[in-house]
Amino acid sequence: LTEAQQWPALERPRRAGVSSFGISGTNAHVILEQAPPAEEPPVDVPEPELLPWVLSARTDQALREQAARVADVADDGSVRAGDLAYALATGRALLDRRTVIVGDRSDFVAGARAFAGNGTAPGVLQGGTVFVFPGQGSQWVGMAVELLDSSPVFAERVGECGVALSEFVEWRLVDVLRGVEGAPSLERVDVVQPVLWAVMVSLAGLWRSFGVVPDAVIGHSQGEIAAAVVAGGLSLRDGALVVALRSLAIAEVLAGRGAMASIGLPAERVRERLDAYDGRVSIATVNGVSSVVVSGDPDAVDDLVAALSAEEVRAKRVNVDYASHSAQVELIEQRLRDDLAEVSPRSSTVPFYSTVTAGVLDTAGLDAGYWYTNLRQTVRFEETTRVLLRAGMRVFLECSAHPVLTMGVEETAADAGVEVAAVGSLRRGEGGLRRWLTSLGEAFVRGVPVDWSSALPARPRGEVPLPTYPFQRRRYWIDATSGTTDVASVGLGAAGHPLWGASVAMAESGEVLFTGRISLDTHPWLADHAVNGTVLLPGAAFVEMVLHAGDHVGLGHLEELTLHAPLLLAERAAVQVQLLMTAADESTRRTVSVHSRAEHAEAEQPW
């Protein structure tokens, strides 16, 4: 079309083709279809108090500029906060540099402007995502209560875990979490372990509800019970049975007999120190390069802690009165085999990395015998983490009320020379939606796909005027060779060609000499012409150089050109080139010869 014309409505959607025929030879064709009828605007509903504000860009600088632009839009109040957050999360491509700010409109404006001033975002990691389930130690009074009240998904999963546990315990899960009067204390091992199991399983369900699906799971000690359920290797009931009855056996038989301590030394050095205790203390877990837990008889453990502390080695008793992963567990072996005999494991849908065997394990083997071994043998967490790193896993999401294994993962990855992201879920004193969305954002900025819809309004009521992308404008033109001398100042003429630097007409003889310098630094496109890894000046280049010399004297036709030897171009070297054109003969023909030599050759080296 050269001018506008009417386009009447039809019984079908109107469509038009738009073609582009580029001068470079690139052709494109786009078919445009009439937009569907606008839907009725949704009924007004209260906006969430906390929103995830998602930003992404190609570079750190563009991300900061984008944050400043969107902050200006949010600050003027012309767009509903929920609509703006929705458009940011769903209406823009997800690029390599990312950040997420959690809060209301004022939180976002302040945070985005602060980020624009001095913020950078971590790069997206390419690799798999692991759900991590720790053992005992992440508990705190009031954990996850806020999330119970603000997340229907989490509350529903906790309710399901509570029903599963009710068959094996005499207390109610929700009563313990909320600290209801008369509910048992988290100080009891037969209470804290089932409660932690329920919280971990429920947090994994919450991650999944936001589109975060694990590529593998790993559990630490009792955390393997939750990992098995989440992977699909145990039913929820079987998981409840294992954690409830096993922790009850610990409480009734092992409690009061043992002790455990955390030591900041490599496992090999700890083993050397344990020789003096004649089997009364053993390594319970190896969490990182210099993070070990020992267990055994209380007096022996206390003696070891005192000796190491005197040497200024980090050593601290763990707040338990039993010795998991030690010989004392053998006292309940038969009981566990009997109590857990009805467990019916099955092969999982998610790879289960066992910290008992330090590798992928078919969960169909997670029978009563395995759950005894899991409690008796050393937890090989560091070793299994290395296996995950070699398998390409790069993001580790700890599904717990407080992160206790992220430091060990980071330490192991650093020792292996691998960049990872280790992200928690909740933290002590931060058990609500803000902390959860912040953790989700941390995972998102490291490349984990996230479905933000659960935290956003249904959809915007109209178009949202998002600012355009802050393109970082850069110049990509190839610069002409710089630093050359003005050839006219030394009595030469400009050659006017990228491969010739100068020309000079000889007095009396009528000959013309062209000179030039060729290297891959100044002519990088020549590197494309390589034979068996060696760069050669193409024959077409010789033709072009000779024809240009002919044009210089009014002769534009080349009758014959013989190449006697190839012109080799080394990566970090240059060659000098000369073309000598004889004087014209009776028929105006001229003869040319082209010569070259290495730039730093001795002066007496012939051309």
Side-chain angles (χ1 to χ4, degrees), residues 126-269:
Q126 300 297 321
T129 298
V130 184
F131 279 9
V132 182
F133 301 89
Q136 199 166 324
S138 65
Q139 70 272 13
W140 49 280
V141 176
M143 60 179 173
V145 172
E146 289 180 71
L147 208 54
L148 272 175
D149 296 331
S150 57
S151 171
V153 172
F154 182 76
E156 180 181 1
R157 193 59 169 158
V158 167
E160 293 169 351
C161 291
V163 171
L165 285 171
S166 65
E167 184 179 347
F168 310 104
V169 302
E170 297 178 351
W171 39 265
R172 294 182 68 247
L173 173 61
V174 173
D175 289 349
V176 175
L177 286 172
R178 295 188 180 278
V180 173
E181 185 177 352
S185 166
L186 290 175
E187 297 294 324
R188 286 171 44 182
V189 63
D190 60 320
V191 174
V192 68
Q193 289 196 2
V195 171
L196 285 175
W197 168 83
V199 169
M200 290 189 289
V201 169
S202 301
L203 284 172
L206 188 56
W207 279 104
R208 275 186 158 143
S209 74
F210 279 83
V212 181
V213 179
D215 296 300
V217 298
I218 180 175
H220 183 288
S221 188
Q222 77 157 74
E224 282 205 312
I225 308 172
V229 171
V230 172
L234 290 182
S235 67
L236 195 64
R237 179 189 180 276
D238 278 351
L241 181 152
V242 173
V243 73
L245 299 188
R246 197 177 75 165
S247 62
L248 184 61
I250 294 173
E252 293 180 347
V253 179
L254 301 184
R257 293 175 177 266
M260 303 180 76
S262 173
I263 298 174
L265 286 176
E268 287 305 315
R269 292 185 58 187

Side-chain angles (χ1 to χ4, degrees), residues 320-588:
V320 297
D321 63 351
Y322 51 89
S324 297
H325 312 289
S326 76
Q328 292 187 15
V329 177
E330 295 171 8
L331 295 172
I332 60 173
E333 177 180 1
Q334 192 56 51
R335 174 171 172 172
L336 292 183
R337 291 184 182 277
D338 293 340
D339 288 351
L340 311 183
E342 66 176 280
V343 170
S344 300
R346 60 213 178 192
S347 295
S348 63
T349 55
V350 177
F352 177 91
Y353 282 73
S354 167
T355 49
V356 175
T357 64
V360 180
L361 184 68
D362 185 350
T363 52
L366 302 184
D367 56 10
Y370 180 87
W371 295 115
Y372 161 72
T373 306
N374 163 276
L375 186 62
R376 170 63 182 91
Q377 300 301 323
T378 299
V379 178
R380 300 159 67 181
F381 186 78
E382 180 207 9
E383 188 178 351
T384 313
T385 300
R386 291 182 186 273
V387 175
L388 284 162
L389 295 175
R390 289 195 293 271
M393 302 301 162
R394 294 296 180 265
V395 180
F396 293 75
L397 305 180
E398 184 170 332
C399 302
S400 67
H402 182 81
V404 294
L405 294 175
T406 53
M407 186 176 296
V409 170
E410 291 171 339
E411 185 182 69
T412 301
D415 185 68
V418 177
E419 182 186 2
V420 302
V423 179
S425 297
L426 304 178
R427 293 182 179 275
R428 283 193 177 87
E430 299 178 60
L433 189 60
R434 182 183 292 272
R435 177 67 255 171
W436 162 250
L437 290 176
T438 300
S439 297
L440 197 64
E442 291 173 4
F444 170 79
V445 300
R446 301 314 297 269
V448 176
V450 171
D451 177 3
W452 292 101
S453 59
S454 297
L456 295 166
R459 65 175 178 82
R461 296 187 302 172
E463 293 184 1
V464 178
L466 290 177
T468 57
Y469 185 84
F471 290 102
Q472 304 300 291
R473 305 191 183 280
R474 295 170 55 191
R475 186 174 180 274
Y476 288 96
W477 292 108
I478 298 174
D479 290 322
T481 303
S482 59
T484 57
T485 304
D486 178 9
V487 295
S489 67
V490 291
L492 303 175
H497 192 276
L499 297 177
W500 291 126
S503 66
V504 59
M506 302 298 188
E508 296 187 6
S509 68
E511 297 175 317
V512 181
L513 178 67
F514 283 78
T515 64
R517 176 184 182 276
I518 301 175
S519 77
L520 297 181
D521 290 333
T522 56
H523 306 83
W525 59 88
L526 293 175
D528 292 336
H529 189 260
V531 178
N532 294 329
T534 301
V535 178
L536 306 177
L537 186 71
F542 284 107
V543 173
E544 164 63 19
M545 294 166 72
V546 173
L547 283 174
H548 179 79
D551 287 340
H552 193 76
V553 295
L555 299 176
H557 180 69
L558 177 63
E559 288 188 350
E560 182 181 356
L561 181 66
T562 302
L563 299 180
H564 295 282
L567 175 53
L568 279 60
L569 298 173
E571 183 176 356
R572 299 183 180 276
V575 294
Q576 297 173 346
V577 185
Q578 287 187 1
L579 181 150
L580 182 62
M581 180 182 296
T582 64
D585 60 16
E586 297 82 359
S587 61
T588 72

